[in-house]
Amino acid sequence: MRKNELERFNYGQRVVHWVVALSFLLLMFTGLAFSYPSLTWINTLLGGGAAARVIHPWAGIVFSVGLVFMFFMWVKSMFLNKGDREWLAAIKAYARHDRERIPPAGKYNGGQKIFFWLQILLGIFLLLSGIPLWFPEVYGSGLLVTMRFLHFVLALGAGLFLIIHVYLGTIAYPGTLGAMLWGSVTRGWARLHHPLWYKEKAGH
Amino acid sequence: MNLPANNLAIKRISASAEPATPGIREMPEIAKLVDISRCIGCKACEIACKEWNDLKVEPTYNFGSYQSHVDLSPDTWLLMRFNELEIDGNLNWFITKDACLHCEEPGCLYACPAEGAIVQYENGIVDFNQENCIGCQYCVAGCPFDIPRFSKETRRVYKCNMCIDRVEAGLEPACVKTCPTNAIAYGTKDDMLALADQKLTILNNRGFAKAAIYDPEGVGGTHMMYVVPHGDHLPDYGLPEKPVAQQGAMAALAVFKRIGAYMFGAGILATALHYLAVGPESPDSDNGGG
């Protein structure tokens, strides 16, 4: 945490976030290489396709365990309230950076809360659909094919989620990334993006 | 992608975006024809298979059957199965030559996500290239005949390759060569189909009214066919009545993947266009007041 800044994520939260993030990247890159033979070189860099086949499910376990931690760390703050619904109704204004029309958000805005729940759901179903793919000889061909479709579609959803998450957390809103690196944000950032949280935190 | 440097023209390559390079050589489809009624259960074919392919001998035990081993394994690509069954008070032996049938529409190849790990040659042989195999075992689930076996030691999958090195040199597979009763015939698929018809007539004349040729349509026919005396007892031979390769589902998955790739690209493009349209959103000043 930096001096004069407001603490946004504590040490434990940051560690869990990066464990989940790195395991997700590993899952995404090996998964892409499994899905697209033109990307086989990614797995070659990771020690070959056979090694990637061993790594992927175990990275999935790390990811899932991390997600469980995330769930319990953040679930209390993630229930939608009236203000969040107003925020979501004004999502177009948010996308246009139309400050006047964006209802004030608390520590997490409505979009972040929706994303939290979507991510938890994606994680659960990715894990459930991934288990038959881990042990294909145990499951019949029909179930395996269904799970390959499901796992792919869910992974695509998670990939699209990642694009938006990284974009919003970095170049779209400068000053955000620090919250996940050293744990704090500037007062100006807090007042702009999460005014209700700022008031509560700064005691105004 | 590493493909074996043999002289056979390739028809299909697993997980390959490109179709196999069309060959100019005329290579008829080959087939083995197993006449179960001629099998005396000597298992010389099992030994010939092990010897030719340099496969480890696996210790076995008496588990109350005439069968040598309980199951196929990475080191056992051919297993004569002996299923005993009473029909009308008579003991019947349902013998099956359990090994790869070399499907025309190979479920293993369609299921395989590793480019070049499974190839099908113009002559019909379906072969695994272990150097491209990632050990996912989708082929194990994709095979309607439960043939490929995963080795925990090498983390690769193995099965009968119809002695491709012999076939390439113009020889018959080792099991065919060694069979003392000619229960296994080998030749072009057309010749074997004609032979199967003759054998069927012979069996019918001997009183096997339900005798049948096993060359299932669901997998486009196979390059190891059977003539079975009891065609109404296919499951007792361990032969599925309607095997399918699920090529339709796999083709649909390929379409999904293409759409997915576009969507992923569109997602990145959309964020870039959004950034260009509205730019970053920063606090006006960073002193924050407060």
Side-chain angles (χ1 to χ4, degrees):
Chain A
M1 186 179 158
R2 287 182 177 172
K3 271 185 183 172
N4 294 324
E5 289 195 346
L6 300 173
E7 186 181 44
R8 188 148 171 86
F9 298 116
N10 65 32
Y11 179 62
Q13 290 170 323
R14 286 175 348 245
V15 168
V16 170
H17 172 267
W18 288 111
V19 167
V20 168
L22 291 177
S23 59
F24 182 84
L25 288 178
L26 199 53
L27 286 163
M28 189 178 79
F29 284 121
T30 52
L32 280 169
F34 292 141
S35 297
Y36 301 97
S38 54
L39 299 178
T40 298
W41 58 269
I42 296 174
N43 280 346
T44 307
L45 288 177
L46 294 167
R53 167 63 173 84
V54 176
I55 293 168
H56 188 92
W58 286 107
I61 296 297
V62 172
F63 176 76
S64 304
V65 170
L67 219 54
V68 170
F69 275 90
M70 273 189 165
F71 179 77
F72 287 109
M73 275 181 339
W74 277 308
V75 65
K76 268 184 281 176
S77 332
M78 291 298 171
F79 294 105
L80 286 171
N81 58 36
K82 188 165 166 283
D84 296 324
R85 275 185 274 275
E86 283 166 12
W87 187 95
L88 286 168
I91 191 114
K92 277 185 187 161
Y94 174 77
R96 287 197 206 102
H97 295 175
D98 185 354
R99 292 184 191 186
E100 314 302 316
R101 294 209 172 82
I102 306 171
K107 183 166 185 184
Y108 305 105
N109 64 41
Q112 287 173 309
K113 290 182 180 180
I114 295 278
F115 259 171
F116 172 83
W117 291 108
L118 280 180
Q119 186 207 12
I120 295 292
L121 282 178
L122 278 173
I124 291 169
F125 284 103
L126 276 165
L127 178 68
L128 291 179
S129 60
I131 289 168
L133 305 184
W134 196 356
F135 307 102
E137 76 281 10
V138 180
Y139 299 88
S141 175
L143 181 76
L144 193 76
V145 170
T146 311
M147 290 303 153
R148 282 180 75 176
F149 271 93
L150 192 59
H151 203 69
F152 178 80
V153 172
L154 293 166
L156 175 66
L160 294 174
F161 167 83
L162 179 80
I163 294 169
I164 298 170
H165 178 69
V166 170
Y167 172 60
L168 296 181
T170 57
I171 58 171
Y173 300 111
T176 308
L177 189 60
M180 259 317 158
L181 291 176
W182 52 84
S184 58
V185 289
T186 62
R187 287 158 185 274
W189 183 95
R191 201 165 44 183
L192 171 61
H193 297 300
H194 299 274
L196 299 179
W197 176 65
Y198 172 74
K199 273 183 197 159
E200 180 190 316
K201 199 81 177 167
H204 285 245
Chain B
M1 175 178 46
N2 301 307
L3 290 175
N6 64 31
N7 292 320
L8 299 175
I10 290 170
K11 186 191 279 179
R12 286 196 183 96
I13 303 172
S14 60
S16 178
E18 309 292 325
T21 313
I24 198 158
R25 302 166 71 206
E26 206 168 274
M27 301 179 89
E29 285 182 35
I30 54 157
K32 290 190 283 193
L33 177 67
V34 182
D35 181 354
I36 296 296
S37 70
R38 290 183 73 96
C39 178
I40 55 169
C42 72
K43 302 175 198 127
C45 51
E46 289 186 8
I47 309 295
C49 176
K50 290 243 172 199
E51 288 205 326
W52 182 263
N53 293 298
D54 303 311
L55 298 170
K56 272 199 288 280
V57 172
E58 287 182 296
T60 185
Y61 62 101
N62 185 344
F63 50 95
S65 164
Y66 198 71
Q67 203 169 305
S68 66
H69 294 76
V70 178
D71 197 11
L72 292 170
S73 80
D75 294 304
T76 301
W77 297 351
L78 164 58
L79 178 66
M80 296 307 291
R81 288 191 185 271
F82 296 86
N83 187 17
E84 294 165 24
L85 200 74
E86 251 180 67
I87 298 175
D88 303 329
N90 296 318
L91 179 71
N92 276 270
W93 233 1
F94 288 86
I95 307 178
T96 324
K97 182 176 181 289
D98 197 18
C100 179
L101 283 88
H102 299 274
C103 306
E104 183 55 28
E105 302 286 348
C108 58
L109 189 147
Y110 291 125
C112 177
E115 189 177 23
I118 305 180
V119 294
Q120 183 183 37
Y121 295 96
E122 289 285 354
N123 65 8
I125 293 180
V126 178
D127 194 15
F128 285 12
N129 291 318
Q130 279 77 22
E131 57 190 316
N132 295 329
C133 174
I134 61 170
C136 72
Q137 304 157 64
Y138 286 2
C139 57
V140 176
C143 172
F145 302 101
D146 187 26
I147 298 298
R149 288 293 181 275
F150 178 68
S151 162
K152 289 202 164 82
E153 205 180 316
T154 65
R155 301 202 67 83
R156 303 289 195 280
V157 182
Y158 301 83
K159 71 161 186 69
C160 157
N161 59 16
M162 228 210 255
C163 292
I164 189 165
D165 43 353
R166 292 178 59 90
V167 169
E168 193 192 353
L171 299 171
E172 69 279 64
C175 56
V176 179
K177 169 90 175 172
T178 206
C179 180
T181 61
N182 284 340
I184 318 169
Y186 168 78
T188 65
K189 171 105 186 189
D190 290 343
D191 286 353
M192 290 304 106
L193 280 172
L195 183 62
D197 277 334
Q198 290 173 25
K199 286 177 177 290
L200 198 61
T201 314
I202 293 169
L203 279 173
N204 286 339
N205 292 342
R206 277 173 56 194
F208 292 102
K210 298 278 172 63
I213 299 168
Y214 190 73
D215 181 27
E217 268 176 44
V219 293
T222 57
H223 294 89
M224 178 169 80
M225 300 182 288
Y226 292 97
V227 180
V228 290
H230 303 283
D232 51 339
H233 281 268
L234 287 178
D236 293 323
Y237 287 104
L239 298 171
E241 290 187 87
K242 285 192 162 61
V244 288
Q246 294 196 314
Q247 60 266 50
M250 286 300 123
L253 186 59
V255 173
F256 262 59
K257 283 179 179 174
R258 181 147 294 199
I259 296 170
Y262 290 139
M263 282 175 71
F264 200 73
I268 292 170
L269 188 66
T271 53
L273 290 176
H274 181 261
Y275 188 80
L276 294 179
V278 300
E281 174 79 326
S282 306
D284 296 327
S285 67
D286 258 7
N287 57 17

